[in-house]
Amino acid sequence: MRSEDTAMRRFIVLLASLLTLLSATALAAPPATTTAAPAATVIKGPEINPQELHIALSSLLLAATKMAIEDAIKRGKAPDSNAAAHVGEPDYLTSNEISSITVHKGGVLQVHFTSAVSPDLTGVWLTPTRAGDSVKWSCISHDIPQITDVESYCSYQPKAH
């Protein structure tokens, strides 16, 4: 098979996946609201807009970046930079909710948010793990204690001082 055919097939698969994700995101209900824990156990974090955080973490921009990482991992080597992942530079990967996406060693993504999400520009780390023929993602925030209330696949892990 010619490399142009392979590239075209990848493009078609990527486009179909993005369209599926876009339609699923557009039809998805906003994140459920939760009842606050008793005051004694509430961890005070930065002020965030949960709906904008949900939009950022389910955005087409982030999904496309994750797909580029997944493709590289499936071909045998996790990228260690935006250039190696064949995605735009960090400050080019932006939206109303995302101020940058940076690819680090092992394909780990660092996502910084705009003030639409939080005036403190908090962020998350998305870590890929190969699981057979697929790639699974975990999401960690070091500064948004309420992240699991917005996205159940994310966890809060404060940095050790």
Side-chain angles (χ1 to χ4, degrees):
M1 183 180 295
R2 295 182 337 187
S3 64
E4 293 87 6
D5 292 339
T6 302
M8 181 56 79
R9 285 180 191 266
R10 273 197 200 145
F11 174 77
I12 290 169
V13 168
L14 176 64
L15 183 59
S17 298
L18 290 175
L19 290 173
T20 301
L21 179 65
L22 179 60
S23 64
T25 301
L27 297 174
T33 57
T34 60
T35 306
T41 61
V42 172
I43 300 171
K44 183 72 175 153
E47 182 181 327
I48 66 162
N49 180 323
Q51 183 63 31
E52 298 300 318
L53 177 60
H54 174 72
I55 290 170
L57 293 176
S58 60
S59 72
L60 204 52
L61 174 65
L62 185 54
T65 306
K66 288 167 63 176
M67 289 175 74
I69 301 296
E70 291 172 14
D71 186 50
I73 289 172
K74 288 175 184 176
R75 285 185 279 121
K77 180 151 173 41
D80 60 0
S81 67
N82 289 53
H86 302 285
V87 297
E89 289 300 311
D91 294 337
Y92 181 74
L93 298 174
T94 64
S95 68
N96 289 334
E97 302 79 25
I98 297 172
S99 64
S100 68
I101 301 175
T102 306
V103 179
H104 293 277
K105 184 177 181 179
V108 174
L109 297 177
Q110 182 180 18
V111 182
H112 285 279
F113 302 119
T114 68
S115 60
V117 173
S118 172
D120 297 323
L121 298 179
T122 55
V124 298
W125 294 84
L126 299 169
T127 304
T129 304
R130 180 118 194 211
D133 291 339
S134 65
V135 175
K136 304 284 186 197
W137 290 89
S138 61
C139 168
I140 296 172
S141 173
H142 298 298
D143 52 4
I144 307 173
Q146 61 273 46
I147 190 123
T148 56
D149 294 338
V150 178
E151 295 297 332
S152 61
Y153 75 98
C154 292
S155 65
Y156 171 61
Q157 296 180 7
K159 283 189 175 182
H161 295 290

